Amino acid sequence: MRLPTLESYLDATYPVLSLILQIPPLAVPQAALRTAHLLRLTGEFLGAVPAYSASAAPLPALLATLDALDRGWLAVLRVQAWDTERAKGVDIEIPVALNAGGAPPVSQTDRARLRSLIVTGTARLEEWLEGLRVESNSGASDAERDDDLASALMPLYRPV
């Protein structure tokens, strides 16, 4: 089911992301389940965003959701638990009884899938942003459109 606006899609996606990240990485089944669901959500998300019409209004919410997705993947790759209050991964001590097989890091196959999703998703988002530039300034030169997009995105940029 497609939601009517990008804003509504982002509002619906964040709780799902948070729920997936709350799956504890205590043992192989839980860690694999969390990785599988996060891969699925990442692919769905990166494919769905460009399906909406490009406009500058939802960019702050989009960047916030991409940031949360990025922090979520960082927690998964580091085999960390998700702290919902701070919205970031935290190290946990796993009791020996629960960690008999060890919570494995993300498999090479899943890492390759993630890399592929990021590469193709980034390309789609870049094309989508190109559409934003063209629609917002169709009579301007390429240099003017580049300046307008950069000035629109600059307030959203915050160094890490």
Side-chain angles (χ1 to χ4, degrees):
M1 178 177 165
R2 185 172 188 265
L3 295 172
T5 65
L6 180 55
E7 292 90 342
S8 61
Y9 178 77
L10 296 172
D11 288 343
T13 300
Y14 191 81
V16 176
L17 173 62
S18 183
L19 178 68
I20 291 169
L21 292 171
Q22 289 179 55
I23 299 171
L26 297 178
V28 176
Q30 291 93 345
L33 179 67
R34 182 166 83 156
T35 301
H37 284 306
L38 194 54
L39 279 168
R40 173 74 186 242
L41 179 67
T42 301
E44 161 67 27
F45 182 80
L46 293 175
V49 169
Y52 290 94
S53 61
S55 70
L59 286 181
L62 174 61
L63 290 176
T65 305
L66 286 169
D67 182 53
L69 187 61
D70 183 52
R71 284 183 279 120
W73 270 112
L74 189 60
V76 169
L77 293 170
R78 291 179 175 172
V79 191
Q80 294 177 317
W82 185 250
D83 183 338
T84 56
E85 290 180 13
R86 296 186 304 175
K88 65 184 248 179
V90 293
D91 292 326
I92 57 171
E93 289 189 30
I94 301 171
V96 176
L98 290 176
N99 199 22
V106 177
S107 73
Q108 285 301 106
T109 301
D110 288 339
R111 286 176 187 267
R113 287 181 59 206
L114 176 59
R115 184 180 191 291
S116 176
L117 286 172
I118 290 171
V119 168
T120 58
T122 300
R124 285 186 200 144
L125 288 176
E126 286 174 352
E127 288 174 15
W128 183 75
L129 285 172
E130 288 289 327
L132 174 66
R133 288 190 343 189
V134 170
E135 289 175 17
S136 67
N137 234 345
S138 58
S141 70
D142 287 342
E144 290 171 331
R145 282 194 299 265
D146 287 342
D147 288 342
D148 286 348
L149 182 61
S151 63
L153 292 176
M154 191 51 85
L156 305 176
Y157 172 74
R158 58 183 167 92
V160 177

